Structure formats: C-alpha cells, structure tokens
Amino acid sequence: MTQTATKAQPEAAPQPIGGEASVLEAPLQDSREWQAERLRLLWGRRRFFLRATAIGLFVSTIIAFLIPKSYISTTQLMPPDSQSTSGMAMMAAMAAKGGGGLAGVAGDLLGLKSSGALFIGVLRSETSQDRLVQQFDLGKVYGARLVIDARRRLDENTSISEDRKSGIITISVTDHSPQRAAALAGAYVDQLNSLVSELSTSSAHRERVFLEERLKVAKQDLDDASNQLAQFSSKNNTLDMQLEGKAMLDAAGTIGGEMIAAQSQLEGLRQIYTDNNARVRSLNARVVELRRQLEKLGGTQTNAVNGTSASPGQTGDPSAAKAGGGLPYPTIRSLPLLGAKYADYYRRAKIQETVFELLTEQYELAKVQEAKETPSVKVLDPAKIPEKKSFPPRLVIMFLGTFLVCAVSVVWVLGSARWEEVDAGDPRKVFVKEVAGTVKARLPWAHSNGASPHGAGAGAGVESRAEEDFLRDSDLKDK
C-alpha cells in the first residue's frame, strides 16, 4: 500500500503540464481561425479589390498627367577672386548704408566666412528679385496681383547654395517653361553683375565716376572752342596764320619787285618817247596795276566809294579791311590783329583738346583699375534649357495612388465586417447611428428621392424610436 502510493504520486505530476499546454494551444488556434476568416473574407471580395485597384490606377494616372510639368535649370558660378576682398567689403558697407532690400546683405559682414555668402545675399535681396519680377512679368506668370506675392513665389522656385569646400555657387530655378527657367537662371547672373558694379565703392570706382562726369564737361568745352575757331577762320578766311602771313609777304615782295622794275623801265622810255607812246602807256598801266595789287595786299587801297584811303595808323575791324579789299584772304595790315585773335581761339581749342586727351587716358586707366577691384562673377556652367522634366514623377504617383486605394479598400472591407459583427444593441453602435442620422439630415444632397430635411429627420426619429423599443424588449427578456 505504501509503495503503491509512492508510485502514484509521480504519475499524477504530468497532468497539470498537459493542461497548461492545452491552455496555450487554445489562443493560438483561435488566432489561426481568426486569420483564416479574415483571409477568406478578403478572398471573397476579390472582385471588389480588382475594381478598386483599376479605379485607383485610372484616377492616379489622370492626376499624374494633369499635374503640370516642372523644369529645373541650373547655373554654377566660380568663387570670387581673393584680390577683390577689399572692394567687396566697401560694397557691403555701401549696401548697409543704402538700406532697403540690400540693407540686410551687409548686416553681418564680419561674420561672413567667404565672399560667396555676400553674393548669395545679393541674389536673395528684394532689389534683385523685384527686377526679375518686372523683367519677366512674373506677376502675370504666377497669377499674383501683388509684387510681394510674385517675389515670394520666385523665392520658393529658386534655390541658391554654396559649396563649403570649393566655394562654387549653384543657382537652380524651377518653372513650368524650360525656356523661362533657363532665362531666369541667366538673369540672376546678370543681376548679380549689375548690382555688384552699382554697389562697388572702391577708390577706382569713385575716380572713374568723377572722370566720367569731368569728361562730359571737357567734351562740351572742346566742342565750343573748336566751333569758335572754325567760325572765326571761316569768317576771316584764315587757316594757318604763320604760313598764310609768310605767303602774303612773299607775294607782296614779288609784286613790289616787279613794280620797281616796271617803274625803272617806264622812266627809261620816258626819256626817249613821249607819254602818248604806246609802249610808255602800256608800262604805265602795268605799274598802276602792280601798285593797286600791292595796296590790296597791304590793306591801303583807296576807297572807291568815298575816294579816301586808309591811313597807315588807322585800325578797324580786320574783317572789314578784308571785305574792303575784296580779296579772298586777309590783308597784311590786318594780319597782326587777326593773328592775335586766331592765336587766342587756337590756344583755347588746343588746351581743351589736351585736357580731353588727358582725361580720356585717366578714365581708361580708372576703368581698368575698377575692373580689377570689383568682384568678378565667373560662370562655370551657364544655364541651359532643360531637356527632362523634374516634376511630377508620374510612375511613382500612379503606384502610390493604386497602392493607397488598395489599402483603403482592404481597410474598408475589414472595417465593414467588424462593424457587422458588433451587436446592434451596443451603445457605441447606437451612438454612431444617431450621429450619422443627424449628419445626414443636415446635408440636403444626402437625401434620396428628393426627400426634404424634415422628412429625413422624421425617418431618423422613427429609426431612433425603433432602436429604443428594441433595447427595452431586450432588457425585459434579460429580466
């Protein structure tokens, strides 16, 4: 008896272990059954899933092709030269004083790690963006009535970055038109060059501006002096007073010598012949003519109208003396006065010409020096018209849209099945039905057969009363 009892105790020990295993296998079996039921439910609604997938693919395809294409045009700029650091510092200081859209460019000048940060600030400034908005009429392109809205859209479509290691600046512009995207990217570079030149305040720039203004005044003075000299020369038939005076003295000497020779010959003939002789009269006429020509050259010709001759000490208008002589050149008597006035006009014209030449030379040197001190923008990769669109990714949109519709359909099927499994007397289900009925009564387009909202509300009230009666009957049965 005692041995049997001792043997029966170890045999009874495994029984609880077998009970625990059965308890663990029960939830696993229930989980497998639940999964099988859900899979069977999904398999039974496979046609619905196929239709939903086809509809999702169709709708996502339409959406993908309705989204307008976008293109990105990119240009890259080389980092500025290190030699132009001083010029950029002056430019930043001038921008800070100027205020407005460029005031923030130089606000943190001492904290700039490279000159490329200053270029990016200039490109992001309101002045640069406003010029681009006006140049390309972006208000009309973006459908923005206000300039600030067009500027904001342009800023959103523009990406400007700088490589920390190489210092290369990249400008990328996104637009629906590939031509406009490339043009905007190139216009950013042009605006950068223009603003850098305008804001440069180096000594060479100031010198160049001063010389430019001074050249305008010197050019006007030179034109005035040249016109005065030309008018004086045209009025008095003077070209070069020195050469002209020398030529007139040579001509007067020649005529005077011929006249002396003719007079000597005439006096010889008068010793032999009378005054009525043909040869005497001929030589006499020649002497008279030579004397008249000599008087013309000297400016002492007798006035044919008044019968008077100008005295050697008489002074007057040189042009009048020339006109009285009827010669196409001034007389010897008027040469001193004409020479003095001509020298005055000629000296003024020569001085203005020399000043203009010196200013022009200095102006060209200042331009070269300004170009050295002004930060230069070197384009590494110019903006090109993009050949491929950057957005939208149509295949991705179609795949995601189809997948989303499939996922929603699966959730809908599983949720509907779970909703049907809930007891109709569940307070939560009753509450949801009440909310749905109330919302449906508030929406006019949700009524069927043209029922009025009041009719729908009445129906909802009848349904609510029926549910209350059902709950009351169920409570009585429980009791």
Side-chain angles (χ1 to χ4, degrees):
M1 294 293 293
T2 306
Q3 294 178 354
T4 306
T6 56
K7 290 182 180 178
Q9 290 176 357
E11 291 177 359
Q15 293 178 358
I17 299 175
E20 292 178 358
S22 61
V23 172
L24 294 174
E25 290 178 357
L28 181 61
Q29 184 67 23
D30 294 341
S31 175
R32 291 176 179 177
E33 291 179 357
W34 182 84
Q35 293 177 0
E37 290 178 0
R38 292 295 179 268
L39 293 175
R40 188 176 295 107
L41 175 63
L42 295 177
W43 175 252
R45 302 296 299 274
R46 59 185 181 275
R47 293 184 178 179
F48 170 74
F49 294 144
L50 290 176
R51 289 194 299 269
T53 302
I55 294 174
L57 178 61
F58 178 73
V59 173
S60 60
T61 302
I62 293 177
I63 294 175
F65 280 90
L66 286 179
I67 297 176
K69 298 180 181 179
S70 297
Y71 299 86
I72 297 179
S73 180
T74 303
T75 179
Q76 290 186 335
L77 307 179
M78 290 289 291
D81 298 334
S82 58
Q83 299 177 355
S84 59
T85 306
S86 60
M88 295 184 62
M90 294 181 181
M91 183 189 73
M94 185 63 183
K97 293 180 181 179
L102 296 175
V105 176
D108 195 17
L109 177 62
L110 298 178
L112 294 178
K113 297 182 179 180
S114 64
S115 55
L118 181 60
F119 276 4
I120 295 178
V122 173
L123 291 172
R124 290 287 190 186
S125 64
E126 294 183 0
T127 302
S128 176
Q129 293 178 350
D130 288 343
R131 292 183 180 182
L132 292 177
V133 169
Q134 183 178 5
Q135 178 180 354
F136 292 92
D137 196 11
L138 296 182
K140 183 178 181 181
V141 174
Y142 296 148
R145 293 181 299 175
L146 301 178
V147 178
I148 186 174
D149 296 334
R151 189 194 310 133
R152 178 180 55 81
R153 287 288 305 277
L154 176 63
D155 188 70
E156 293 175 355
N157 295 335
T158 303
S159 173
I160 304 175
S161 60
E162 178 189 9
D163 188 12
R164 295 298 180 183
K165 295 182 179 180
S166 62
I168 296 177
I169 300 175
T170 303
I171 304 174
S172 300
V173 180
T174 304
D175 199 273
H176 296 311
S177 172
Q179 292 80 8
R180 187 165 53 243
L184 278 171
Y188 266 108
V189 180
D190 297 337
Q191 290 299 327
L192 179 60
N193 279 322
S194 176
L195 289 175
V196 166
S197 300
E198 292 177 6
L199 297 176
S200 177
T201 58
S202 61
S203 58
H205 173 74
R206 294 193 298 271
E207 182 180 0
R208 195 266 303 168
V209 173
F210 169 76
L211 291 175
E212 187 174 1
E213 297 296 330
R214 187 67 184 87
L215 267 177
K216 295 180 181 178
V217 179
K219 182 64 169 61
Q220 185 176 1
D221 294 342
L222 177 59
D223 293 340
D224 294 340
S226 300
N227 290 333
Q228 291 178 3
L229 177 61
Q231 291 177 3
F232 178 80
S233 299
S234 177
K235 183 178 180 181
N236 297 279
N237 296 329
T238 56
L239 297 176
D240 190 342
M241 295 302 300
Q242 295 181 355
L243 297 178
E244 193 170 358
K246 183 179 179 181
M248 291 180 64
L249 291 176
D250 292 342
T254 302
I255 295 175
E258 293 180 358
M259 186 183 66
I260 293 173
Q263 285 179 348
S264 300
Q265 188 179 0
L266 177 61
E267 291 298 330
L269 290 177
R270 282 180 176 177
Q271 296 295 329
I272 302 173
Y273 304 103
T274 62
D275 292 337
N276 294 326
N277 188 274
R279 294 181 61 185
V280 173
R281 287 185 297 177
S282 175
L283 283 175
N284 190 22
R286 177 175 174 76
V287 170
V288 172
E289 180 63 24
L290 289 174
R291 183 179 294 109
R292 189 172 62 86
Q293 294 295 332
L294 188 60
E295 290 176 354
K296 284 184 179 181
L297 288 176
T300 58
Q301 183 183 15
T302 303
N303 194 329
V305 177
N306 299 328
T308 60
S309 61
S311 61
Q314 183 181 359
T315 60
D317 188 5
S319 60
K322 173 189 70 66
L327 299 175
Y329 46 83
T331 61
I332 297 177
R333 183 180 179 185
S334 63
L335 281 179
L337 185 58
L338 288 177
K341 291 188 177 181
Y342 179 84
D344 185 29
Y345 287 121
Y346 180 78
R347 182 171 56 254
R348 289 179 55 190
K350 195 65 177 179
I351 291 174
Q352 296 300 329
E353 182 180 0
T354 304
V355 171
F356 183 77
E357 291 178 355
L358 292 177
L359 289 176
T360 302
E361 182 179 358
Q362 294 180 5
Y363 177 71
E364 296 298 330
L365 293 176
K367 288 175 63 176
V368 173
Q369 187 64 25
E370 181 187 11
K372 291 181 180 180
E373 295 184 4
T374 302
S376 59
V377 180
K378 299 178 181 179
V379 180
L380 179 61
D381 291 332
K384 299 180 180 178
I385 299 177
E387 299 179 355
K388 293 184 178 180
K389 62 179 178 61
S390 60
F391 187 84
R394 289 173 176 170
L395 292 178
V396 176
I397 293 176
M398 293 167 61
F399 174 78
L400 292 179
T402 305
F403 176 77
L404 181 62
V405 172
C406 290
V408 170
S409 62
V410 171
V411 173
W412 175 265
V413 171
L414 295 178
S416 300
R418 179 60 180 169
W419 177 260
E420 292 177 358
E421 292 177 359
V422 177
D423 188 8
D426 192 333
R428 295 172 295 180
K429 188 173 184 179
V430 174
F431 173 73
V432 171
K433 288 184 178 180
E434 292 177 358
V435 172
T438 304
V439 172
K440 187 176 181 181
R442 297 290 183 181
L443 300 178
W445 59 83
H447 309 310
S448 59
N449 298 327
S452 64
H454 300 287
V462 172
E463 183 180 357
S464 178
R465 287 193 297 271
E467 292 177 354
E468 292 177 358
D469 296 339
F470 175 77
L471 292 175
R472 186 168 55 254
D473 295 340
S474 62
D475 291 339
L476 293 174
K477 290 180 180 180
D478 293 338
K479 293 180 179 180

